[in-house]
Amino acid sequence: MMLMCGRLRRLFRQLTLQTSLLLLFIFCMVSVLISAYFLYGVKRELEPAGVGGVGVPEEGTADWEDPRATPSPPSARVLPARTAKPADMSRTDPVVLVFVESLYSQLGQDIVAILESGRFRYQTEIAPGKGDMPTLTDKNRGRFTLVIYENILKYVNLDAWNRELLDKYCVEYGVGIIGFFKANENSLQSAQLKGFPLFLHSNLGLRDCSVNPKSPLLLITKAREVEHGPLPGDDWTVFQSNHTTYEPVLLARGRSTEASGAPGLLHAAVVQDLGLHDGIQRVLFGNNLNFWLHKLVLVDAVSFLTGKRLSLALERYILVDIDDIFVGKEGTRMKVSDVKALLETQNELRTHVPNFTFNLGFSGKFFHAGTDEEDLGDDLLLSYSKEFWWFPHMWSHMQPHLFHNQSVLAEQMLLNRKFAEISIFMTHLSNYGNDRLGLYTFKNLVKFIQMWTNLKLQTLPPVQLAQRYFQIFPEERDPIWQFDEPHLFHQTSEDTDTFFRSHPTAVWRSFVILGTTALYLFLGMHPDLTSNYPSKETFEEIQFFNGRNYHKGIDWYMEYFPLPSNTSSDFYFEKSANYFDSEVAARRAAALLPKAKIITILINPADRAYSWYQHQRAHDDPVAQKYTFHDVITAGRDMPIKLRVLQSRSLVPGLYATHLQRWLTHYHPSQILVLDGQMLRTEPALVMDKIQKFLGLTNTLNYHKILAFDPKKGFWCQLLDGGKTKCLGKSKGRRYPDMDVDSRIFLREYYHEHNIELSKLLYKMGQPLPSWLREELLHSR
């Protein structure tokens, strides 16, 4: 042995440098070939022989004897199992973070529509690249309870930093992920999902979809039914794995085996990741939401991954209104046979929906206004009056708001009351006579719901149903006004200005100010801008979208503006102080003015807080008089409630990122302009130039010539003829003592994370940082 080793050493010493390099090259080539063999072998095993099949035939005598996803080849990497951490709902806000490809992508809009139908709160973000993951926590509390990716590959291909950040958040807070994989012409036919023991097979045609009854995901969706026929599209992706973490939810067969008559293999089209691989639970869809069953499963996935926190009860209420019972034209009204069919259908539906009753709406003037056969149908319908619920329209079917005389309106209602001592029957009458499409629709709808869902349909009379609705959705007790014609408004707070404007298709345009009185004055100097009329209670402010005035309605609001025919102005605007940080103003404004533009002016939040405190002292607020500013902002939870209220009103409006994100939820970033409040104080003409450009004013005003700095007042004023100035009143521009150092340090720390989040929002919006924000970020390094 020793002799052999000695000979080998002598042999290696005799090798030339060229020979050594040659051997090294041969060794490397052999390594590459071996690696290629195993990689190629795995891929070949993922593409089995046969016509379009992916997987193996199911075993047993029934499809669901072993409903697991198709197993992957033995060579697939299987990592040690981990246990998913249960979701701790108390540590996260009930908000869904939705990553979309763009704000206009169809799948993204479909996802949002489903969330909105359940009244679930959400925040949409463009799927991040490097360095722009939204802030996930706020003082050790998670900001989101669920994450949804429109394109799961955007999650899989995240850069290492953001991927680790998101995964750690999901594990720590028990947050699940829902993702969609939509194949295209560039998708590989078979590939492993990077970082997961899961294989994808794409661009397939599928048929005969069924639901796995053993799936723990199911809530609304009912299993053991098969949706026969082809699934929409030829771009389906199915999932394959032998890891115990994956459980199929929906399965289907390959469409290519249909012609042969063979049953074909079952493929997992939707798969649930139980979190045993990496501690994160996921649900993955192999296509978009065009397939109706995917929508049901998505609702169940949201419920399951949030521990039913974002979930509605299985008890659902249904009420069918049949409108205009007597108003239809001759030939479209109900005959005797139609009325009998209506009652028969109602009795049939009652076997599925206890006490189901059609709700009929009527206008008495048109009773017996059809053919002889239809008049007999009217008579029979009234003979069955106690079998239905009824509600009245106007006697002559006019709209109530067209009556300007209250006595005439009352007379019309009394005529209906005298016509029938009942509240009469909504869909429309023509759907229940002749072809009876309405009856067909509702009978099949109820059968469909019972076949595919676990929903329990119930009904209540209209008034009780309305009461039940507001018990389920108490936040909807407040009305949301909507307006058909475009309007524009601008709102303003002490240090934030927001403008709204309509599209130029309107005959006249308007906007609202959220900001300083100085800006209100500067805008009023423009000949094409007209402000609202003053209010006796709130002076120049209307305070419509954020307070009790909202319930006074649109007509009340519009009374504060002149009629378009009475002015030559192109724009109208109003100033109201607290819209920006209001929790309801953005939603209300967006409902009324969805195409509005918004301009926000921000100052240093620490200065804003101090200014508000001094404002309250100047107005003899006893709490502000009693406590120092430092006492107010550092008050603990055990302090008097009035002190805590002043603290909140001083600090909360300065959480700019939170408020701006709320507006971004309802308005596109291109509709929002953020301006530097410090620049408004030092260079107002430049700010006004930017505003005029943003509003698209064709007649621009040179504010450099009409604004002048007043050294006595300490701020800019309107320059009049003769060199005189017109400034704000004595209450504006007060000079306060400088803020104490301890309070400045406290507030810099208090707003630190929020200022960072604000900088991220502005970066994503493509807008420059205000000078004070740049200084704060530099100071905190």
Side-chain angles (χ1 to χ4, degrees):
M1 188 65 169
M2 295 295 293
L3 181 61
M4 180 64 69
C5 292
R7 289 178 177 177
L8 287 174
R9 282 196 296 269
R10 286 194 298 272
L11 178 63
F12 279 115
R13 291 192 188 113
Q14 294 173 1
L15 290 176
T16 65
L17 177 60
Q18 291 178 340
T19 304
S20 300
L21 292 175
L22 178 62
L23 291 174
L24 180 60
F25 174 76
I26 294 173
F27 174 77
C28 292
M29 289 298 297
V30 171
S31 300
V32 170
L33 291 173
I34 293 174
S35 299
Y37 169 79
F38 281 106
L39 290 174
Y40 179 74
V42 170
K43 183 174 181 181
R44 291 299 298 172
E45 290 186 48
L46 288 174
E47 300 172 354
V51 185
V54 179
V56 297
E58 62 274 28
E59 298 179 356
T61 58
D63 285 350
W64 293 114
E65 186 167 320
D66 184 14
R68 293 197 49 75
T70 310
S72 63
S75 56
R77 181 171 61 97
V78 178
L79 301 179
R82 293 177 59 182
T83 303
K85 184 176 181 179
D88 186 355
M89 297 298 111
S90 65
R91 299 182 61 205
T92 58
D93 294 333
V95 180
V96 181
L97 177 58
V98 183
F99 287 111
V100 297
E101 294 287 84
S102 76
L103 293 175
Y104 305 104
S105 60
Q106 186 58 54
L107 178 54
Q109 293 182 39
D110 291 342
I111 294 169
V112 166
I114 288 178
L115 295 176
E116 289 181 341
S117 69
R119 278 70 170 179
F120 302 144
R121 293 166 54 195
Y122 64 90
Q123 175 178 322
T124 55
E125 297 281 345
I126 304 298
K130 293 185 178 180
D132 51 1
M133 177 69 65
T135 301
L136 301 174
T137 59
D138 182 11
K139 298 186 184 300
N140 296 321
R141 181 173 179 80
R143 295 183 60 205
F144 308 103
T145 193
L146 177 66
V147 178
I148 299 180
Y149 269 90
E150 176 187 352
N151 182 354
I152 193 62
L153 292 184
K154 289 297 180 71
Y155 164 71
V156 172
N157 295 323
L158 273 175
D159 61 271
W161 172 265
N162 279 320
R163 175 63 182 276
E164 183 179 8
L165 184 69
L166 181 57
D167 283 357
K168 282 186 176 180
Y169 172 80
C170 291
V171 171
E172 174 63 23
Y173 291 91
V175 172
I177 297 175
I178 296 174
F180 295 81
F181 186 90
K182 185 68 164 61
N184 55 48
E185 63 275 8
N186 298 320
S187 300
L188 295 176
Q189 182 177 356
S190 298
Q192 183 175 358
L193 194 62
K194 186 173 71 175
F196 296 90
L198 183 67
F199 295 82
L200 313 180
H201 306 275
S202 300
N203 288 315
L204 303 175
L206 300 179
R207 63 181 174 89
D208 300 344
C209 184
S210 50
V211 183
N212 178 6
K214 297 182 181 180
S215 172
L217 185 75
L218 305 181
L219 176 65
I220 292 177
T221 311
K222 183 180 289 186
R224 295 199 177 278
E225 293 291 347
V226 177
E227 172 71 351
H228 293 287
L231 275 61
D234 295 308
D235 52 358
W236 283 82
T237 295
V238 296
F239 304 95
Q240 181 182 14
S241 178
N242 65 355
H243 197 296
T244 55
T245 192
Y246 295 107
E247 183 79 22
V249 181
L250 294 186
L251 290 99
R253 304 182 189 279
R255 200 185 303 168
S256 58
T257 62
E258 187 174 10
S260 65
L265 310 176
L266 280 174
H267 312 301
V270 177
V271 68
Q272 179 179 0
D273 181 349
L274 302 177
L276 305 180
H277 166 62
D278 59 3
I280 303 173
Q281 296 192 71
R282 302 177 182 85
V283 178
L284 304 179
F285 290 76
N287 210 301
N288 54 29
L289 291 173
N290 288 341
F291 181 40
W292 64 267
L293 199 49
H294 274 193
K295 297 179 181 180
L296 283 182
V297 174
L298 176 59
V299 173
D300 284 351
V302 170
S303 174
F304 181 86
L305 293 177
T306 62
K308 294 189 177 180
R309 190 181 188 187
L310 300 183
S311 180
L312 298 178
L314 292 176
E315 291 74 24
R316 303 297 173 90
Y317 293 86
I318 182 172
L319 177 65
V320 178
D321 291 347
I322 304 181
D323 206 10
D324 298 348
I325 281 297
F326 303 126
V327 181
K329 297 179 180 179
E330 286 189 4
T332 65
R333 299 159 64 99
M334 296 176 71
K335 302 174 184 176
V336 168
S337 59
D338 298 321
V339 175
K340 290 180 178 179
L342 180 70
L343 187 61
E344 290 171 1
T345 301
Q346 177 172 281
N347 292 332
E348 181 180 345
L349 290 173
R350 283 179 174 176
T351 63
H352 306 290
V353 184
N355 197 36
F356 177 87
T357 305
F358 285 113
N359 192 34
L360 312 184
F362 72 98
S363 293
K365 179 180 179 179
F366 302 97
F367 180 70
H368 275 188
T371 65
D372 290 341
E373 288 183 290
E374 291 170 339
D375 289 348
L376 290 175
D378 289 354
D379 293 331
L380 182 60
L381 186 61
L382 286 185
S383 71
Y384 289 148
S385 61
K386 294 183 179 179
E387 298 293 331
F388 304 105
W389 294 329
W390 303 79
F391 66 95
H393 292 307
M394 300 301 297
W395 165 259
S396 56
H397 202 250
M398 291 182 65
Q399 297 173 326
H401 68 271
L402 298 179
F403 289 86
H404 299 288
N405 187 306
Q406 185 173 348
S407 61
V408 176
L409 177 61
E411 179 184 344
Q412 288 277 314
M413 297 301 293
L414 287 173
L415 285 171
N416 247 8
R417 184 175 180 181
K418 290 178 181 178
F419 163 75
E421 295 181 2
I422 51 176
S423 278
I424 296 194
F425 220 107
M426 190 170 171
T427 52
H428 279 77
L429 167 68
S430 58
N431 294 324
Y432 294 85
N434 301 293
D435 59 15
R436 303 171 190 165
L437 182 59
L439 301 182
Y440 172 84
T441 299
F442 288 110
K443 283 196 296 185
N444 284 277
L445 172 64
V446 170
K447 290 179 181 178
F448 175 85
I449 291 174
Q450 291 198 326
M451 176 180 294
W452 283 101
T453 79
N454 294 308
L455 297 177
K456 302 172 184 177
L457 295 180
Q458 304 177 47
T459 192
L460 286 172
V463 175
Q464 291 92 317
L465 184 61
Q467 293 170 344
R468 179 63 182 142
Y469 180 89
F470 290 123
Q471 289 175 0
I472 299 173
F473 305 111
E475 69 279 2
E476 296 192 14
R477 289 182 178 273
D478 287 339
I480 292 292
W481 302 120
Q482 293 180 304
F483 198 33
D484 292 336
E485 297 181 19
H487 284 69
L488 193 121
F489 53 89
H490 169 213
Q491 60 182 29
T492 167
S493 65
E494 181 67 19
D495 42 34
T496 53
D497 297 39
T498 302
F499 295 79
F500 304 80
R501 72 156 275 210
S502 64
H503 278 301
T505 53
V507 176
W508 57 279
R509 297 169 287 181
S510 56
F511 61 92
V512 185
I513 306 174
L514 312 173
T516 63
T517 305
L519 181 60
Y520 179 80
L521 173 66
F522 298 160
L523 288 166
M525 296 163 60
H526 198 291
D528 294 339
L529 305 179
T530 300
S531 67
N532 60 282
Y533 299 132
S535 166
K536 294 180 180 179
E537 293 80 19
T538 54
F539 306 102
E540 77 271 16
E541 298 187 359
I542 300 179
Q543 295 184 4
F544 178 67
F545 291 99
N546 65 315
R548 289 174 295 181
N549 289 335
Y550 184 74
H551 296 87
K552 297 178 180 179
I554 302 173
D555 290 340
W556 179 91
Y557 179 66
M558 296 308 299
E559 286 176 356
Y560 281 92
F561 300 93
L563 294 174
S565 58
N566 296 336
T567 178
S568 60
S569 295
D570 290 337
F571 294 87
Y572 299 82
F573 69 94
E574 62 117 325
K575 165 186 174 291
S576 294
N578 302 320
Y579 285 174
F580 182 72
D581 58 287
S582 166
E583 294 187 359
V584 297
R587 184 169 70 101
R588 290 173 174 178
L592 188 63
L593 306 165
K595 297 180 181 180
K597 285 190 176 181
I598 303 166
I599 302 173
T600 301
I601 298 181
L602 305 177
I603 68 171
N604 190 315
D607 294 334
R608 198 225 68 84
Y610 187 59
S611 176
W612 177 257
Y613 167 79
Q614 293 291 355
H615 173 80
Q616 294 302 99
R617 281 182 61 87
H619 287 78
D620 298 322
D621 183 334
V623 180
Q625 295 284 356
K626 180 178 180 180
Y627 295 95
T628 67
F629 180 59
H630 192 266
D631 291 336
V632 172
I633 62 176
T634 60
R637 295 184 178 181
D638 57 342
M639 298 302 287
I641 184 63
K642 291 184 178 180
L643 175 57
R644 295 295 308 281
V645 170
L646 178 59
Q647 179 191 58
S648 176
R649 196 66 195 98
S650 298
L651 297 178
V652 172
L655 306 177
Y656 295 146
T658 300
H659 309 315
L660 182 57
Q661 183 61 64
R662 188 183 299 119
W663 287 96
L664 286 167
T665 300
H666 299 283
Y667 288 96
H668 190 274
S670 63
Q671 294 175 262
I672 300 176
L673 175 66
V674 179
L675 296 174
D676 188 345
Q678 187 171 312
M679 181 177 289
L680 180 64
R681 294 178 177 179
T682 58
E683 299 179 89
L686 293 179
V687 173
M688 298 309 297
D689 289 345
K690 197 168 187 178
I691 291 174
Q692 291 182 93
K693 182 178 180 180
F694 182 71
L695 291 176
L697 294 175
T698 55
N699 177 25
T700 57
L701 191 61
N702 188 350
Y703 278 89
H704 296 269
K705 295 182 178 181
I706 58 175
L707 293 180
F709 184 78
D710 190 316
K712 294 182 179 180
K713 282 285 188 177
F715 51 80
W716 292 78
C717 304
Q718 181 180 359
L719 182 62
L720 303 176
D721 293 338
K724 296 183 179 180
T725 58
K726 178 183 177 181
C727 299
L728 299 174
K730 295 180 180 180
S731 62
K732 304 299 181 181
R734 293 190 185 94
R735 298 179 185 273
Y736 305 127
D738 290 341
M739 188 190 311
D740 63 280
V741 176
D742 289 342
S743 294
R744 178 70 68 179
I745 293 173
F746 174 85
L747 290 176
R748 179 170 287 122
E749 178 62 26
Y750 181 85
Y751 287 117
H752 175 67
E753 293 297 331
H754 295 280
N755 285 340
I756 292 177
E757 182 65 14
L758 175 63
S759 68
K760 292 181 179 180
L761 283 178
L762 294 176
Y763 173 76
K764 290 170 64 176
M765 296 170 66
Q767 304 212 23
L769 302 187
S771 56
W772 63 263
L773 181 55
R774 292 197 301 269
E775 292 171 5
E776 288 295 310
L777 295 176
L778 289 172
H779 194 280
S780 61
R781 288 184 176 178

